[in-house]
Amino acid sequence: MTTTSSTADKADVLDCGHTATPDTVGTGSVIDPRTGATSCYPCSDERERVAMTRATTFVAYVSTDGDALTTWPGGHLATIDPADTRQTGRRTYTPSGGMWTRYVWHATDLDGGRWIGVNGGPGLVIGVHRLRVCTWQTEFGNGRGPRYCHRRATHAGQGGAFDLYCRTHARQVFDLYGWTTTALPPRALASLTA
């Protein structure tokens, strides 16, 4: 998406059916580079959230306080893990001998999908990719909420594209619920990130 700001009249209706979103410069709108369609920031944010649910890689921004992945206008896409919000980054060397500070971010989107990406710090653009971990939720039993199994997925479930299970939990969902799963082909397994 391409974002623009102009001093156009607020009464102008965009292709999404809304007027342009006011911002600090004038009025802001988003232009789809493929179709040329214009939309306000909230409609654009919603389209980005939907696109993220179908993607395996995605480009977003880390919020300036480091607690969320956002769209360019600042719409919430995913929540960054609390442990990553306190990181100070690691100094690392580039192949040419330069040095930069590297931040690794783990995040959970609104549908429970797990993401990981690396960038130069809060407030900057980041390319993230979906983690293909077992989606089985395990209970701590000590009052804390459930968490992901985090083992490498080897079986696809029936629920959707990202309904994946490790070998142990694939057997368990069949025993408990009668849900059948199919083993992922070897080529797919090689491309999965644990």
Side-chain angles (χ1 to χ4, degrees):
M1 294 283 182
T2 304
T3 304
T4 63
S5 289
S6 67
T7 56
D9 185 8
K10 285 186 184 178
D12 291 340
V13 178
L14 303 170
D15 293 332
C16 68
H18 301 110
T19 57
T21 308
D23 64 13
T24 57
V25 177
T27 54
S29 63
V30 177
I31 301 172
D32 188 332
R34 289 167 286 151
T35 63
T38 58
S39 63
C40 61
Y41 289 161
C43 289
S44 170
D45 292 344
E46 187 57 35
R47 265 200 311 279
E48 294 290 313
R49 284 185 202 100
V50 170
M52 191 174 192
T53 63
R54 295 188 303 257
T56 55
T57 61
F58 203 77
V59 176
Y61 293 85
V62 176
S63 63
T64 53
D65 50 1
D67 66 351
L69 295 181
T70 66
T71 61
W72 184 87
H76 183 85
L77 292 173
T79 303
I80 291 177
D81 292 356
D84 291 348
T85 61
R86 297 183 299 274
Q87 68 179 309
T88 56
R90 274 181 60 184
R91 300 293 277 172
T92 187
Y93 290 94
T94 64
S96 62
M99 195 163 64
W100 70 296
T101 304
R102 179 178 192 265
Y103 289 78
V104 179
W105 305 96
H106 297 83
T108 305
D109 64 22
L110 301 175
D111 292 330
R114 297 284 296 153
W115 298 83
I116 187 171
V118 176
N119 78 347
L124 299 175
V125 70
I126 185 171
V128 293
H129 67 273
R130 188 179 292 274
L131 286 171
R132 299 301 183 94
V133 295
C134 176
T135 56
W136 184 264
Q137 296 282 321
T138 58
E139 291 287 340
F140 283 102
N142 58 0
R144 292 179 12 207
R147 63 177 174 84
Y148 281 100
C149 161
H150 286 293
R151 282 184 279 182
R152 183 183 291 271
T154 57
H155 288 71
Q158 299 171 326
F162 303 110
D163 183 18
L164 302 171
Y165 298 101
C166 65
R167 192 176 312 263
T168 302
H169 289 126
R171 283 193 299 268
Q172 200 164 352
V173 296
F174 180 75
D175 292 343
L176 291 174
Y177 307 111
W179 299 344
T180 57
T181 59
T182 55
L184 293 167
R187 183 175 177 195
L189 283 175
S191 67
L192 295 181
T193 305

